[in-house]
Amino acid sequence: MKNRTLGKTGFEISEVSLGTWQVGGKWGSGFDHKKADTILNEAVDNGVNFIDTADVYENGESEKAVGRLVRSRSERIYVATKCGRRLNPHIDQAYQPAALRKFVEDSLTNMGLETLDLIQLHCPPTEAYYRPEIFELFETLKKEGKIQNLGVSAGTVDQALKAIEYDNVSTIQIIFNMLRQRPSEHFFAEAAKRNVGIIARVPLASGLLTGKFTPSTTFDEGDHRGFSEENALDYGETFAGVGFRKGLEVVEKIKQVLPENANLPAVALKWILMFKEISCIIPGASKVEQVRSNISASDHPELTGEQMNQIRQIYEQHIWPEIADKNW
């Protein structure tokens, strides 16, 4: 496993890390702590040292599993969690320092840790990015020793650009994959200027870039990918915001750029790692085999310049027209 520096945190982290949205099982299946322990330990056994979680993942159960892992291992494992999405309704007015402080303290309790390596605001509403008191709270928490660094999981490029205007924002987590290339056009350069670490989330476009889906694919009840495209609560995040059917068409075009029988998931992850500004990717896993497949991307051969150009052209011709008026 190769390591990269996570921006101004200075942490040397595994370039393929682990997201824990589904670490206790598939979406909507409940949380299986035995399965979570197996997956988490498999990741660490293979060189992963950065784990991303959130307080809303299975209502804190994911955090508990991550904390148990950290306490049981001798290796230095960096923990990132998120706060804010427990607010109901999830609106700007609900973002208050007292509420966010309570979330941080709850996460520490869930994980049995004295400090958080990285706490991230979890896709806050745009208005919250213009409230300095929200960001100042985390300086106080840092002085208290409850956190080490602040990051933001941003929903849009504009939000990410606004977030890094705050000096105490050390990392940005943003959707970036073959079907969502906009962050590389301007944001990456701005983040690099400020030494802000970039964590690529949804790297496989909700599974589209595994190449395993077909037009007849259906999703289990409770799986966020099973929505109707005409009434999509997660539209803009799920399937990179281009719609399931359109995404399938584009994936087939990408396959034509690659050698026959190419391992598409590994290639898709390696494509992200071709960008030097990326600190790490955080693919999820609901079984051990997925962990191993994801980790293999670190040693996968680099894409050629021609392949990178062709994938960019596919994006510009078939994805960009669909999202040109969006800020994804």
Side-chain angles (χ1 to χ4, degrees), residues 8 15 54 58 61 107 114 127 137 150 167 201 213 215 217 240 244 246 258 265 279 299 303 319:
K8 64 182 76 170
E15 64 179 10
E58 290 291 343
E61 296 305 305
S107 289
E114 295 183 356
E127 298 85 350
L137 163 69
L150 170 65
D167 289 339
R201 65 186 180 102
F213 296 162
T217 297
F244 182 59
K246 181 67 175 181
L258 306 175
S279 299
D299 290 326
L303 281 74
I319 299 291

Side-chain angles (χ1 to χ4, degrees), residues 26-27 30 38 42 45-46 62 69 93-94 113-114 117 125-126 129 145 157 196 198 222 240-241 250 270 288 299 306:
K26 292 184 178 179
W27 285 290
T38 300
E42 180 71 19
D45 287 345
N46 284 278
S62 176
L69 170 82
Q93 293 91 324
L113 301 176
E114 295 183 356
D117 295 313
T126 297
Y129 289 83
V157 169
V196 171
I198 301 175
V250 175
K270 191 67 175 188
V288 166
D299 290 326
E306 179 62 22

Side-chain angles (χ1 to χ4, degrees), residues 41 131 160 209 214 255:
N41 280 284
R131 293 172 54 200
L209 290 168
T214 70
K255 286 180 180 179

Side-chain angles (χ1 to χ4, degrees), residues 216-285:
S216 61
T217 297
T218 59
F219 300 98
D220 295 338
E221 184 177 354
D223 190 323
H224 75 110
R225 298 170 296 180
F227 57 66
S228 162
E229 291 182 25
E230 291 73 33
N231 184 28
L233 295 177
D234 287 327
Y235 193 71
E237 293 206 7
T238 306
F239 302 132
V242 297
F244 182 59
R245 297 174 188 85
K246 181 67 175 181
L248 288 175
E249 295 173 8
V250 175
V251 168
E252 288 304 311
K253 295 182 183 299
I254 290 172
K255 286 180 180 179
Q256 295 171 17
V257 171
L258 306 175
E260 188 176 358
N261 299 320
N263 181 345
L264 181 59
V267 173
L269 297 179
K270 191 67 175 188
W271 178 89
I272 299 173
L273 295 174
M274 295 291 291
F275 293 82
K276 66 182 186 302
E277 300 88 350
I278 292 290
S279 299
C280 76
I281 51 179
I282 50 170

